[in-house]
Amino acid sequence: MALTRALGNPGAIRLAVAILLPAFAVTGILAVSPAAAHTTRYNPLAEYADWNVVSFGDTNIHAESEGPVASGGDLTFAGTNVGFKSSSAIALLTGGRVDYAGSAGSLQVNSSGSIKIGDLTGADALDTDQNNAKVNTEVVRAGAGYGSTPAVTSNHRQPATTVAAPGLFAATFSQAAADASSAAVAAAATGTCNAGEIIQPEISAGRASVSLHAGANYWNLTTDELSGLSQITFTGATTPSTQNPLIINVAGSGPVTISLNLAGARDPRGILFNLPDATSITQGGDSIDGSILAPKADYTKTSANLQGTAIVASADLGGSEEHYFPFGGFITDCVTATTPTPIPTQTPGTPVPTPGTPVPTPGTPVPTPTTPATVPTASPTTGTPSAATSKKPERSIDGAAPASAELAHTGSDVAVWIVLGTALLVAGGIITVVARGRRGKTRS
């Protein structure tokens, strides 16, 4: 009767709710969030956006490169140009030496970007001529003098003392990081989280008809299948672009021959060829629109143009030109967020159970709290990539390491029960006091 009278008092109800509502909200009883799928869109080639070619080994340049070139090993050349469509600080970077014995003519650097050479052994960097006049910078064979060939020449005067840059290539680029980026692209292209984005174009007699949908499009091939293609025709209203990129993910260790004709509308900045395990790529035939991410492959271009960025193990750049169309699209990484185990909903006014102990019969005293059992950390749904496998190694998901998250989750269980139990006891006491007060007034 006392409880019934108390519940009939609007003031008591409002006061009890004011206490219980925050407690329920804190403990998650009123709303428990289910596991949510988090997606992260990013450009896997973002760090290479300023470069036309990044080669982790030796590089031979005998075809014009509109954008900057970076070579981790030694550099050879034959009368051509680089870097005239770049606004980056460096237009030509080599981690090794300039191989003058294997070079001919001049390698002209045609932008405001600088020349950086890791090892100047056997070379002289000059910004004055034989008459001590100030001139545009040249890097020539040691003792050969200004104006000699072979030479790396700049279209502006760069202080000769700034040409030497030992260790700069290694500080700027990492083949391990490129391998990880390529693996991340492959994971996105084959992961179940992106199953709805995978396309399967029809291929007949080496000709593929490709129709895209809005968003990222993943096309999975083998090295043999790519080598067997002679033409790709883009059809439909949606064509490759930075908003609707086409990622051609190629499985296998090679060798690969790319000899393609491309037809239909496309933006080279929206196409990426990803070959994470290929060891050899030879490009012939017609020009290729799109960037190549193949950090384990020796890349040889024998004809036509590459209209994109090449990230490769070594490069022999012949044929026509390398045009500066850096990849501007994206891939999508997916993970399933782990949600703490939901707390059972309790009816207000009933004793609060301690985790790991039986629920007491209504009306009996609440047992003394004991140490709660550890609540198991929820596991991702079978088949869904975890943060450790679907994310790039250098990236974290939600900013927390798994071990820390588990510890935080275990500690929060204890806090939740304390808050909820205290709130229920206080609310019950208020209801009892109000009920007694109303009963006293009735008697009087």
Side-chain angles (χ1 to χ4, degrees):
M1 292 293 293
L3 180 60
T4 301
R5 293 189 185 116
L7 293 176
N9 185 334
I13 292 174
R14 284 193 297 270
L15 187 56
V17 170
I19 294 172
L20 291 173
L21 187 58
F24 287 170
V26 169
T27 58
I29 289 177
L30 292 182
V32 178
S33 299
H38 292 277
T39 59
T40 302
R41 284 173 35 157
Y42 69 95
N43 183 346
L45 266 60
E47 65 182 292
Y48 306 101
D50 289 337
W51 300 86
N52 218 153
V53 177
V54 175
S55 163
F56 293 101
D58 294 342
T59 303
N60 181 22
I61 306 175
H62 44 110
E64 182 178 272
S65 181
E66 288 184 346
V69 174
S71 172
D74 292 344
L75 176 68
T76 55
F77 54 84
T80 189
N81 307 280
V82 298
F84 61 89
K85 279 197 175 180
S86 170
S87 59
S88 60
I90 302 173
L92 178 67
L93 168 63
T94 180
R97 301 181 303 109
V98 177
D99 180 359
Y100 290 100
S103 300
S106 296
L107 178 61
Q108 178 74 32
V109 180
N110 290 320
S111 74
S112 59
S114 60
I115 300 168
K116 297 292 184 180
I117 298 175
D119 184 357
L120 275 178
T121 301
D124 289 333
L126 305 172
D127 59 7
T128 57
D129 62 15
Q130 290 84 344
N131 297 317
N132 206 33
K134 294 181 179 180
V135 290
N136 291 343
T137 304
E138 290 187 355
V139 184
V140 300
R141 192 196 307 263
Y146 192 85
S148 64
T149 59
V152 178
T153 63
S154 175
N155 70 342
H156 66 282
R157 188 171 189 266
Q158 172 188 345
T161 55
T162 66
V163 171
L168 181 58
F169 181 93
T172 306
F173 300 107
S174 163
Q175 188 164 17
D179 288 341
S181 295
S182 189
V185 174
T190 58
T192 56
C193 58
N194 286 327
E197 311 302 321
I198 296 174
I199 62 173
Q200 295 178 322
E202 292 185 5
I203 301 175
S204 177
R207 298 172 179 266
S209 178
V210 179
S211 180
L212 306 185
H213 54 250
N217 294 259
Y218 303 99
W219 182 13
N220 291 297
L221 296 170
T222 66
T223 53
D224 288 342
E225 288 172 333
L226 178 59
S227 297
L229 288 176
S230 60
Q231 181 167 310
I232 296 176
T233 301
F234 297 105
T235 62
T238 303
T239 55
S241 66
T242 56
Q243 294 78 30
N244 306 303
L246 171 62
I247 293 86
I248 302 174
N249 182 61
V250 184
S253 57
V256 178
T257 299
I258 303 177
S259 183
L260 287 171
N261 293 319
L262 301 180
R266 73 269 184 191
D267 181 347
R269 297 171 301 170
I271 302 174
L272 171 61
F273 292 83
N274 181 55
L275 301 95
D277 299 312
T279 57
S280 172
I281 300 173
T282 301
Q283 178 192 332
D286 203 356
S287 298
I288 298 299
D289 287 356
S291 293
I292 296 175
L293 177 56
K296 294 184 177 72
D298 297 322
Y299 172 55
T300 302
K301 186 166 74 69
T302 61
S303 65
N305 303 318
L306 172 68
Q307 307 212 124
T309 298
I311 301 99
V312 293
S314 68
D316 187 359
L317 306 174
S320 186
E321 302 175 1
E322 293 81 60
H323 291 164
Y324 183 58
F325 288 97
F327 181 69
F330 60 89
I331 64 170
T332 303
D333 271 355
C334 304
V335 296
T336 300
T338 300
T339 302
T341 303
I343 299 170
T345 303
Q346 299 295 322
T347 303
T350 61
V352 181
T354 301
T357 61
V359 178
T361 304
T364 62
V366 178
T368 303
T370 60
T371 303
T374 302
V375 180
T377 303
S379 300
T381 304
T382 302
T384 303
S386 65
T389 59
S390 67
K391 200 68 175 145
K392 290 187 10 178
E394 66 270 20
R395 293 174 181 266
S396 61
I397 302 297
D398 297 333
S404 300
E406 291 170 4
L407 291 174
H409 170 53
T410 302
S412 67
D413 291 338
V414 178
V416 162
W417 290 113
I418 291 174
V419 171
L420 182 58
T422 302
L424 287 171
L425 290 174
V426 172
I430 291 173
I431 292 173
T432 301
V433 170
V434 172
R436 288 177 179 174
R438 287 179 60 85
R439 183 170 58 188
K441 290 181 181 181
T442 302
R443 290 176 178 176
S444 63

